[in-house]
Amino acid sequence: MSTLERSAGTRIPEGETFPLIFERSREGRRAWSLPEVGVDAPSLDELIPADQRRAAPPRLPEVSELDLVRHYTRLSQRNWAIDVGAYPLGSCTMKYNPKVAEDAAAMPGFSRLHPMADDDLAQGALELLGTLEKALCNATGMARLTLQPAAGAQGELTGLLIMRAHHKKQKSERRRVIIPDSAHGTNPASVSLAGWKAEEVRSDDRGLVDLEALEKALDDDVAGIMLTNPNTLGLFERDIVEIGRMVHEIGGLLYYDGANFNSIVGLCRPGDMGFDIVHMNLHKTFATPHGGGGPGSGPLAVSDRLEKFLPKPVLSWDEGAERWFWDDDRPDSIGRIHSFFGNFGINVRAYTYLRSLGPEGLKSVAEHAVLNANYLRVLISEAFPTAYPGTCMHEFVATAKPLKKFGVKGMDVAKRLIDLGYHPPTVYFPLVVEEALMVEPTETESKETIDGLAAALNQIAHEAETDPDLLHNAPVTTPSRRPNEAEAARHLKVRWTPE
Ligand SMILES: *Cc1c(COP(=O)(O)O)cnc(C)c1O
């Protein structure tokens, strides 16, 4: 059975074209109609003044409801999703999102609450945000946080702006932020956006920060360091306490990129490791849906000495009046970084996830994430050895280098995996590993699924030897094969023009 048959239950005929919804449009066709209302309705002029209305109606597709449903249902079947099969995309933590969190987020009291509602009409929602903040501060060992950032990358920028505000308050001019060579691309990008210069330090032969290189890089021009722990190689930075001491000694701050928090959540805390600023990706660790550009949530937590710089308003509890309110009276705040209060619906999902697991459940998330990764690592280690020896955390970076002698690359392995019914792992990242395959099975996959994934990867290694062309041509079961990855970014085409 092909991937598509298996995933979607619908065979998409080879070579089938897929028109845009605009191309399905037929003039005058409507999705639904209702009889005229039997009561006087206000005129359009009464509702929206003429000078605030558009001159011509928008050019929307005119389709029947059935056309509409089929179009989007079939489009959705052409996509891979966590609800379809395993998604071992390293660094991204594509875990299963329990439906109970969806139910909570869809409750009318949450989903229909207007963001401009008066605080007094939204006490339940504010209590949820306040409780979520407390739970996340407990889990990270930090003092306070903001729920405004919409993703990890925006959390990074927020954290670096706070780092800036801190040094400015100390009247200390600094220009550089240290980043290990295994770091995620958003780290140096955020440093540049914040007006600083990113300086790379190399990893040593353990795959960890090279302490000698770090020592050389540190001086009073360094504002801080950004670290992911465990790092993107899936390895725990064992020297973190020493690194913290070194960076604090020159007056720098430690930034924790929480994208890999899934591997330690409930077991240990970045605050206890010495970090001053921490972002979390709720859409990774706390099981809210992600992919395709969002929405996400990247709360940014700080230690008590940095609290005054947090974006405003800050959610506060008025003891006397026994009510939650938004505190705007924050003279040192870096200001707003998102409209309203962040992606509220995503925060409701994360809250529900946390409450449904409890502290013990959260701990078992990390334990099973690490167990699953190590189980898979060993099952495929002969064909795809890891770049660095030893036990991994929640993910590992293997290499497809042994297949090079058959003319097969990491990208071929990834593409062939699609034919065999699995989403590929992250490839060619981190940059420090040749032909990198970065695999993160997550804790939500069963032993049977991981066994199947391992069997598929081992089969591919065998095919590389016996039939390399099969891999060069993969995938063969998908509607689109090997799109040019740079083309869409270089020549963005978002407008459809009718003939
Ligand atoms: C995902 C990720 C980020 C960025 O987070 P987004 O929520 O995608 O913006 C940063 N660092 C690492 C290591 C990541 O895996």
Side-chain angles (χ1 to χ4, degrees):
M1 236 196 289
S2 80
T3 310
L4 283 165
E5 282 173 286
R6 239 205 282 192
S7 65
T10 326
R11 174 103 186 106
I12 294 170
E14 207 166 312
E16 185 209 52
T17 56
F18 201 93
L20 302 174
I21 188 76
F22 287 93
E23 291 165 325
R24 294 187 193 273
S25 178
R26 294 293 174 273
E27 204 181 324
R29 204 168 273 175
R30 288 289 177 271
W32 47 264
S33 58
L34 290 174
E36 290 285 316
V37 285
V39 293
D40 281 343
S43 73
L44 197 53
D45 283 330
E46 285 173 76
L47 292 171
I48 309 169
D51 63 344
Q52 289 179 25
R53 296 203 306 259
R54 57 191 306 153
R59 215 176 51 210
L60 296 174
E62 298 177 77
V63 290
S64 72
E65 184 173 314
L66 184 56
D67 286 343
L68 193 64
V69 168
R70 283 183 181 158
H71 179 78
Y72 286 106
T73 302
R74 297 182 75 189
L75 264 187
S76 76
Q77 289 170 337
R78 295 188 152 209
N79 268 332
W80 193 256
I82 196 69
D83 286 356
V84 169
Y87 210 137
L89 200 56
S91 213
C92 298
T93 312
M94 305 301 284
K95 60 161 102 171
Y96 175 67
N97 307 297
K99 298 296 177 241
V100 63
E102 296 300 317
D103 288 348
M107 284 164 72
F110 292 134
S111 64
R112 305 192 65 175
L113 183 61
H114 197 282
M116 289 178 82
D118 193 80
D119 288 354
D120 284 327
L121 297 173
Q123 285 294 303
L126 298 190
E127 170 132 8
L128 179 140
L129 296 179
T131 314
L132 178 61
E133 173 177 347
K134 201 169 278 173
L136 295 175
C137 282
N138 279 343
T140 49
M142 306 307 283
R144 293 236 42 192
L145 62 76
T146 174
L147 290 166
Q148 281 185 34
Q154 201 184 13
E156 289 174 32
L157 179 61
T158 308
L160 288 160
L161 293 176
I162 288 176
M163 201 184 271
R164 250 198 121 80
H166 163 79
H167 287 305
K168 197 167 168 207
K169 194 95 183 165
Q170 313 272 317
K171 306 217 175 337
S172 156
E173 283 281 333
R174 293 170 188 244
R175 282 169 305 177
R176 283 147 52 224
V177 174
I178 308 279
I179 294 180
D181 56 5
S182 60
H184 193 264
T186 50
N187 290 184
S190 300
V191 169
S192 295
L193 263 183
W196 271 320
K197 194 174 169 316
E199 178 171 333
E200 203 171 271
V201 289
R202 65 167 185 266
S203 310
D204 58 19
D205 49 18
R206 302 170 301 166
L208 306 178
V209 171
D210 185 318
L211 290 186
E212 253 173 58
L214 178 63
E215 183 77 60
K216 278 205 195 104
L218 289 176
D219 55 39
D220 60 12
D221 186 42
V222 169
I225 186 168
M226 293 182 87
L227 283 180
T228 312
N229 196 15
N231 66 21
T232 61
L233 293 160
L235 304 171
F236 194 84
E237 292 286 357
R238 290 151 199 261
D239 302 320
I240 185 57
V241 174
E242 174 63 8
I243 293 172
R245 194 196 56 74
M246 289 162 71
V247 174
H248 284 145
E249 201 169 88
I250 53 105
L253 295 177
L254 270 81
Y255 183 100
Y256 182 82
D257 177 333
N260 291 344
F261 194 37
N262 204 50
S263 59
I264 59 166
V265 65
L267 297 173
C268 63
R269 314 189 304 171
D272 299 335
M273 298 176 204
F275 284 95
D276 306 283
I277 309 174
V278 172
H279 90 245
M280 279 155 283
N281 307 61
L282 296 191
H283 45 285
K284 294 180 181 172
T285 310
F286 298 94
T288 85
H290 75 299
S297 178
L300 192 276
V302 292
S303 61
D304 46 13
R305 67 177 167 143
L306 299 175
E307 190 193 317
K308 56 180 178 289
F309 303 117
L310 279 174
K312 62 183 181 180
V314 167
L315 185 57
S316 297
W317 172 251
D318 181 337
E319 197 62 59
E322 295 200 335
R323 66 189 276 280
W324 295 93
F325 69 102
W326 289 108
D327 182 5
D328 250 312
D329 184 19
R330 309 272 301 178
D332 286 322
S333 166
I334 60 162
R336 243 183 202 291
I337 50 106
H338 194 284
S339 57
F340 300 114
F341 322 110
N343 280 329
F344 178 69
I346 296 298
N347 294 330
V348 175
R349 288 171 174 87
Y351 170 89
T352 311
Y353 182 72
L354 269 164
R355 293 304 290 254
S356 66
L357 283 170
E360 282 307 306
L362 209 53
K363 216 168 107 178
S364 81
V365 162
E367 287 167 349
H368 285 91
V370 173
L371 178 65
N372 279 2
N374 279 289
Y375 179 60
L376 180 60
R377 177 179 64 79
V378 171
L379 287 180
I380 64 167
S381 59
E382 225 164 276
F384 302 100
T386 48
Y388 297 91
T391 316
C392 64
M393 296 294 287
H394 66 307
E395 68 188 0
F396 59 93
V397 180
T399 173
K401 216 168 103 185
L403 305 186
K404 251 182 145 174
K405 57 180 177 287
F406 311 117
V408 167
K409 306 195 63 183
M411 186 59 84
D412 301 321
V413 174
K415 296 295 184 187
R416 177 66 180 144
L417 205 51
I418 299 174
D419 281 336
L420 299 180
Y422 297 91
H423 194 284
T426 298
V427 290
Y428 300 110
F429 176 76
L431 307 175
V432 290
V433 176
E434 201 185 333
E435 296 297 324
L437 302 174
M438 185 194 215
V439 194
E440 180 182 3
T442 82
E443 73 282 2
T444 56
E445 297 303 336
S446 66
K447 177 176 180 297
E448 291 74 20
T449 302
I450 296 176
D451 285 336
L453 175 58
L457 282 162
N458 287 327
Q459 175 187 326
I460 293 170
H462 181 69
E463 287 169 352
E465 208 175 330
T466 54
D467 191 1
D469 273 350
L470 181 67
L471 306 197
H472 295 143
N473 290 323
V476 295
T477 55
T478 52
S480 95
R481 307 273 296 274
R482 290 204 187 197
N484 182 330
E485 288 168 0
E487 176 78 12
R490 304 255 160 81
H491 304 111
L492 192 62
K493 188 178 158 196
V494 289
R495 179 162 300 182
W496 174 73
T497 331
E499 294 93 56

